[in-house]
Amino acid sequence: MPPLGRVDDAPPAFRRAVESLRAPAVRSEIAVEDIPAPKRLAPHAVAMSATVRSEDEDAAFGRLIVLYDPEGTRDWPTPFRVVVWVSADLETEIAADPLLGQVAWSWLTEALEGRGAPHRGLSGTVTRATTEGFAGKADQPVTTELELRASWSPDAEELSADMEVWLDLLSAAAGLPPVDVADITQRRGRAEG
């Protein structure tokens, strides 16, 4: 993973927070890169984007932004705010599930709990968007995209668990198996061949 932007002139708490984002291991299917951070949301910010590849296709995309306001001028419970966005195309039968929003939101809440990421002020949305082609694009298949946007205020400047939450959320949206579960379809293919 490349450096997460210039933070030399930032307060020590923010520098430590940015450094802690580098600690978690990133799955081989996920490519994370540094992107320009928004400049007007907080005095200090860092941002990353990610692409998840599965079966040689882009399966999900995401962004993580960490905002820091040491003066407390924002309406956040702590000086930090973590903002995540994840987008993934869905299979037709999954897209039609009326509980899709609740299921997608549970990916986030379970990741926060499972990673032990202490936080306050959790909020967000889940959006399902269906695209249909007409006229010159009538032959294109109907697609449905899921977008999850969320933010929370971590209780500490150690943000490695928050980074893991984002990575877990990306993995869930892309339909990747958990890391500790072997993919038997790969083994089966080798054994048969």
Side-chain angles (χ1 to χ4, degrees):
M1 184 177 350
L4 296 174
R6 187 167 171 261
V7 295
D8 301 343
D9 57 346
F14 184 69
R15 291 197 310 262
R16 287 189 297 270
V18 169
E19 187 62 33
S20 72
L21 294 171
R22 295 185 180 113
V26 178
R27 294 177 68 144
S28 62
E29 302 95 337
I30 303 175
V32 177
E33 64 181 345
D34 191 16
I35 60 172
K39 297 186 186 309
R40 296 185 179 177
L41 297 179
H44 305 280
V46 66
M48 290 175 275
S49 70
T51 302
V52 183
R53 301 271 304 163
S54 179
E55 300 177 10
D56 295 325
E57 292 185 8
D58 291 344
F61 304 94
R63 290 204 178 114
L64 173 110
I65 302 170
V66 175
L67 306 170
Y68 181 60
D69 179 9
E71 302 301 319
T73 59
R74 307 304 191 272
D75 189 23
W76 304 332
T78 72
F80 286 97
R81 193 75 181 165
V82 173
V83 180
V84 296
W85 169 78
V86 171
S87 174
D89 287 333
L90 300 175
E91 295 174 12
T92 307
E93 54 276 357
I94 295 172
D97 186 340
L99 298 177
L100 177 63
Q102 293 171 4
V103 170
W105 190 253
S106 75
W107 298 337
L108 173 62
T109 57
E110 289 172 10
L112 284 164
E113 184 178 321
R115 293 297 184 173
H119 63 281
R120 293 186 260 164
L122 176 64
S123 66
T125 61
V126 176
T127 304
R128 175 184 355 203
T130 301
T131 303
E132 298 178 63
F134 295 94
K137 294 190 176 206
D139 60 337
Q140 294 184 350
V142 174
T143 60
T144 303
E145 180 182 38
L146 169 87
E147 282 193 2
L148 186 145
R149 298 172 189 269
S151 65
W152 62 89
S153 291
D155 280 342
E157 65 191 47
E158 165 56 52
L159 302 180
S160 59
D162 301 273
M163 177 71 168
E164 290 173 324
V165 166
W166 180 56
L167 295 170
D168 289 350
L169 183 58
L170 283 161
S171 298
L176 298 179
V179 173
D180 56 351
V181 175
D183 184 354
I184 62 171
T185 60
Q186 297 298 325
R187 287 189 192 159
R188 190 177 298 147
R190 277 187 243 136
E192 292 171 358

